[in-house]
Amino acid sequence: MTLGRDAYTSIIDHLKSQFFATDELWAVTAYANDYSIMGDYTSYQNRINLFSSVLEEILRREEARIAKKGQFLSGSPEEQANQFRNAFPTTLEEMNEKDAYWWYLDECPGGLVWYTDIDDNGFETSPTGDGRFYLWT
């Protein structure tokens, strides 16, 4: 799936403000007009594909990284997005049962860690030796 540059920017800006909350993502049909997204995102598989596409773009733009248990994931943005695509529960019903805690299960590849330039003395950010700080969500 390829979205226009403006659509990605709008989605990423909104998700950054929501810390990439699951409910916000799954409610994408409510935001479809705001994001100028064309297509039918009512199917669960289409929403997984949208999630993966947006996640890949976030990683490509170096807006965030993915981490699990304090360790950053390796691989290209496409490879990391595919890890999510393949890890999601296979049905919407199964996802609905787990959606409040899926991000914390071992089957979830990780969570987003947003880049920030703010050093707040380690309260929410931590240096990793690359001169940047991260907001661990």
Side-chain angles (χ1 to χ4, degrees):
M1 170 187 307
T2 303
L3 300 174
R5 183 179 182 133
D6 290 342
Y8 277 123
T9 299
S10 180
I11 291 169
I12 291 168
D13 287 347
H14 179 76
L15 293 175
K16 283 170 67 175
S17 73
Q18 299 296 321
F19 299 115
F20 214 63
T22 304
D23 292 341
E24 290 296 323
L25 178 71
W26 293 142
V28 72
T29 54
Y31 299 104
N33 291 333
D34 294 341
Y35 296 150
S36 303
I37 296 170
M38 301 300 289
D40 178 10
Y41 294 100
T42 56
S43 88
Y44 177 64
Q45 189 57 52
N46 286 353
R47 286 183 275 170
I48 289 173
N49 290 337
L50 175 62
F51 174 93
S52 300
S53 177
V54 171
L55 177 62
E56 183 176 340
E57 186 66 16
I58 288 170
L59 297 172
R60 277 191 206 292
R61 291 181 182 206
E62 296 184 349
E63 296 274 348
R65 295 179 73 179
I66 299 173
K68 181 81 172 195
K69 298 181 181 177
Q71 299 294 317
F72 289 119
L73 266 61
S74 61
S76 70
E78 181 180 12
E79 291 168 337
Q80 291 181 51
N82 282 334
Q83 286 182 35
F84 274 90
R85 183 179 282 116
N86 296 328
F88 274 107
T90 56
T91 67
L92 179 58
E93 293 75 21
E94 186 181 352
M95 183 63 186
N96 287 339
E97 291 173 9
K98 298 178 178 182
D99 70 354
Y101 57 89
W102 184 78
W103 295 97
Y104 304 102
L105 296 176
D106 287 339
E107 64 198 61
C108 177
L112 277 180
V113 181
W114 295 98
Y115 288 116
T116 180
D117 295 325
I118 300 168
D119 176 4
D120 66 358
N121 296 317
F123 179 68
E124 290 182 332
T125 61
S126 59
T128 62
D130 62 1
R132 297 185 83 172
F133 293 86
Y134 301 91
L135 177 60
W136 295 75
T137 59

